[in-house]
């Protein structure tokens, strides 16, 4: 029997969910409990699909060791040992456990992974056996309909999402339900969709076992299941892999090239309520003779501001090898592997694709389709480390775009600003030199940007505490350095605008 056709636990036994959750928490089967039991090296090894350190750390007979071996490492455990921790009868009856091959042993039917919520919640993500990304078996499954657990992409998207209270949220392509679980904490109503009915069943398990409210679960592709309904928040970690064909439902979009991601972004605009956000992870093609930034600008729907960040670029050979390994093809017959590799390169050659970009796309419905203002579309490359969660950074970015769009240079000089938290100044120059060659402002939060400024820009930023207007600060600097204040007022607003846009300066009262 394939993983994707294996029976799943019943999703309509509220009593069993309550008993199982209570037993897991009583044994400290939580993210913190795992780290304490396994230690950092074994814990991080699991993220690399290496289980030997965790097996060594769970040689004991305690309740937590039992649960880790059963649900995370997917090992058979004796009936007596399991019964000392879990309500075996109800779990066998409802399908969470089954008899193992060994005499009197039990095994789990699904992977259950502890996951810490943003406010310290103890959640549990359910997924197919061997498919808890970075878990016991890795993702090398050829089964088309398998449902993966939590991976780096899942947590990245969750951290990017703006977490303001909303009435309605849509998790498109829900998978194991992690985005729906996050959304349930700040949305009155959550709708979760997936093409794979097995994913919807597992999402129901994830929500119920985590003690979260039920979601409205709908089967179908992209926006088809929701018709013309609109939402305050849309999140999607779609099957964005650009591949020949659609062999694996959980990752391959099934459309040519990057058409699935493009369609998803373009169609999101009309599904967003005013002021609503849409967050996507995506892949896009770098096509010969075309600027990748312009390709992505063309995806942005009317009436939306956008912030698109390219985090990584791979050439076509690196990209093909990554996803062939993800499917386990590197462990197949060498000739079959070579044929599949060839097919990927044929596809890229036919589309004149020289590289693939990966990153984040955020839309904010701004109402600019009325012509009242120009939409703000920022497309940038930022491969450097960032500090998650970034949801508040994303919200602040769009708030600053609104401010800059409605303030010309005169209004900017009349405004008051303060230096953002945890910004430091670095001076770079030759040892012993009287003046630095250049000054760098560096953030230690959020995007962790760094930008060069001249001495006037550095002095201006250092004085900004919200009490004086920008114009008055520049007049004081002009007097100090012996420069014409009118000329200084003329040339500095562009630098102020950049510092505001990148989050070094925050408008006071905006």
């Amino acid at each position: 029997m394939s993983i994707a056709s294996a029976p799943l636990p019943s999703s309509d036994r509220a009593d069993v969910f309550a008993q199982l959750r209570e037993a897991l928490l009583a044994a400290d089967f939580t993210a913190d409990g795992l780290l304490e039991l396994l230690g950092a090296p074994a814990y991080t090894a699991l993220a690399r699909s290496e289980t030997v350190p965790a097996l060594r750390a769970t040689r004991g007979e305690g309740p937590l060791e039992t649960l880790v071996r059963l649900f995370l490492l997917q090992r058979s455990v004796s009936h007596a040992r399991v019964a000392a921790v879990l309500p075996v009868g109800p779990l066998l009856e409802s399908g969470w456990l089954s008899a193992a091959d060994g005499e009197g042993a039990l095994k789990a039917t699904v992977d259950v992974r502890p996951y810490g919520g943003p406010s310290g919640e103890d959640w549990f993500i359910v997924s197919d056996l061997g498919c808890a990304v970075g878990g016991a078996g890795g993702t090398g499954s050829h089964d088309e309909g398998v449902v993966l657990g939590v991976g780096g992409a899942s947590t990245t998207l969750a951290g990017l999402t703006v977490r303001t209270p909303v009435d309605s949220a849509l998790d498109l392509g829900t998978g194991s339900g992690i985005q729906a679980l996050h959304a349930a904490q700040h949305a009155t109503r959550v709708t979760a969709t997936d093409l794979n009915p097995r994913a919807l069943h597992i999402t129901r398990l994830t929500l119920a076992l985590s003690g979260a409210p039920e979601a409205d679960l709908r089967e179908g592709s992209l926006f088809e299941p929701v018709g013309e309904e609109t939402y305050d928040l849309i999140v999607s970690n779609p099957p964005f892999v650009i591949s020949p064909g659609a062999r694996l439902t959980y990752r391959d979009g099934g459309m040519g090239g990057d058409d699935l991601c493009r369609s998803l972004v373009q169609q999101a605009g009309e599904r967003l309520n005013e002021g609503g956000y849409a967050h996507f992870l995506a892949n896009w093609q770098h096509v010969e003779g075309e600027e990748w930034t312009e390709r992505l600008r063309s995806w942005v729907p009317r009436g939306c501001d956008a912030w698109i960040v390219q985090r990584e670029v791979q050439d076509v050979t690196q990209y093909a090898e990554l996803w062939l390994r993800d499917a386990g093809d590197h462990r197949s017959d060498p000739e079959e592997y070579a044929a599949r590799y060839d097919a990927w390169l044929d596809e890229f050659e036919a589309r004149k694709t020289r590289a693939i970009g990966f990153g984040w796309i955020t839309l904010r419905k701004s109402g600019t389709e009325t012509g009242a203002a120009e939409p703000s579309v920022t497309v940038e490359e930022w491969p450097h480390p960032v500090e998650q969660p970034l949801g508040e950074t994303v919200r602040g970015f769009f708030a600053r775009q609104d401010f800059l769009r409605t303030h010309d240079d005169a209004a900017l000089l009349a405004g008051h600003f303060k230096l953002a938290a945890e910004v430091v100044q670095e001076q770079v120059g030759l040892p012993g030199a009287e003046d630095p060659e250049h000054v760098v402002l560096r953030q230690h939060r959020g995007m962790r940007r760094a930008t060069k400024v001249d001495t006037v820009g550095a002095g201006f930023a250092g004085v900004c505490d919200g009490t004086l207007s920008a114009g008055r600060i520049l007049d004081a600097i002009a007097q100090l350095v012996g420069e014409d204040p009118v000329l200084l007022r003329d040339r500095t607003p562009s630098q102020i605008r950049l510092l505001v846009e990148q989050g070094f300066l925050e408008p006071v009262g905006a």
Side-chain angles (χ1 to χ4, degrees), residues 48-72:
R48 303 190 299 270
S49 300
E50 295 291 348
T51 60
V52 172
L55 284 167
R56 292 173 62 87
T58 55
R59 289 170 173 170
E61 298 288 324
L64 185 52
E65 287 94 337
T66 297
L67 294 176
V68 171
R69 283 187 167 251
L70 191 66
F71 286 119
L72 284 187

Side-chain angles (χ1 to χ4, degrees), residues 165-169 183-184 186-190 213-214:
V166 294
D167 178 59
S168 57
H186 63 104
T188 305
R189 296 179 292 108
V190 177
E214 292 185 8

Side-chain angles (χ1 to χ4, degrees), residues 211-479:
E214 292 185 8
D216 178 6
L217 304 178
R218 305 186 192 181
E219 182 181 343
S221 177
L222 300 181
F223 288 104
E224 288 174 4
V226 301
E228 301 301 314
E229 295 175 36
T230 58
Y231 299 87
D232 302 312
L233 173 67
I234 298 172
V235 292
S236 184
N237 177 15
F240 54 67
V241 176
I242 300 170
S243 62
R247 186 160 59 111
L248 300 175
T249 304
Y250 70 82
R251 67 164 210 194
D252 299 327
M255 297 185 183
D258 52 19
D259 283 354
L260 182 135
C261 291
R262 176 186 55 79
S263 299
L264 192 59
V265 173
Q266 289 181 335
Q267 293 173 24
E270 58 193 27
R271 268 53 174 223
L272 275 177
N273 293 327
E274 195 70 22
Y277 288 90
H279 302 272
F280 307 99
L281 299 186
N283 277 179
W284 44 78
Q285 298 172 122
H286 286 227
V287 178
E288 186 178 336
E290 176 184 90
E291 285 292 332
W292 70 270
T293 54
E294 293 307 308
R295 182 181 192 85
L296 290 174
R297 285 179 180 278
S298 72
W299 290 10
V300 179
R302 289 187 60 196
C304 289
D305 295 333
W307 185 18
I308 302 173
V309 181
Q310 180 167 274
R311 295 288 288 157
E312 185 179 358
V313 181
Q314 291 185 319
D315 67 45
V316 292
T317 59
Q318 291 174 309
Y319 189 80
E321 290 162 14
L322 169 67
W323 294 109
L324 287 168
R325 286 189 173 90
D326 170 81
D329 291 323
H330 61 301
R331 295 193 293 266
S332 66
D333 176 74
E335 290 189 8
E336 183 180 346
Y337 173 78
R340 290 191 186 279
Y341 198 153
D342 231 10
W344 283 68
L345 297 185
D346 284 344
E347 175 80 3
F348 291 138
E349 186 176 343
R351 294 182 178 278
K352 298 183 178 179
T353 303
R354 54 183 176 79
I356 306 294
F358 167 81
W360 319 322
I361 298 176
T362 298
L363 306 178
R364 197 270 308 259
K365 191 67 172 287
S366 57
T368 51
E369 74 270 21
T370 62
E374 284 293 314
S376 167
V377 178
T378 300
V379 184
E380 62 175 321
E381 185 164 19
W382 190 255
H384 311 294
V386 299
E387 183 187 57
Q388 285 274 32
L390 281 168
E392 189 58 25
T393 298
V394 172
R395 189 204 60 76
F397 175 86
F398 285 99
R400 294 193 302 274
Q401 298 305 309
D402 285 343
F403 174 85
L404 292 172
R405 183 161 46 203
T406 55
H407 285 68
D408 59 15
D409 286 355
L412 210 60
L413 292 174
H416 293 241
F417 303 90
K418 63 178 181 180
L419 191 65
E422 297 195 40
V423 172
V424 299
Q425 176 179 305
E426 300 173 359
Q427 297 188 171
V428 182
L430 293 174
E434 185 175 342
D435 295 312
E437 291 180 26
H438 58 262
V439 179
V440 174
L441 298 181
R442 187 178 302 277
Q443 301 168 350
H444 284 270
R445 300 290 299 275
M447 294 294 286
R448 294 181 175 174
R449 296 187 187 276
T451 189
K452 280 185 185 180
V453 291
D454 59 21
T455 52
V456 170
F460 178 87
V463 175
C464 282
D465 61 3
T467 57
L468 297 176
S469 70
R472 289 190 63 186
I473 293 174
L474 290 178
D475 290 343
I477 291 175
Q479 186 175 5

Side-chain angles (χ1 to χ4, degrees), residues 195-208:
L195 184 64
N196 182 3
R198 188 175 183 86
L200 298 177
H201 189 112
I202 285 181
T203 291
R204 188 176 287 111
L205 299 179
T206 290
L207 293 174

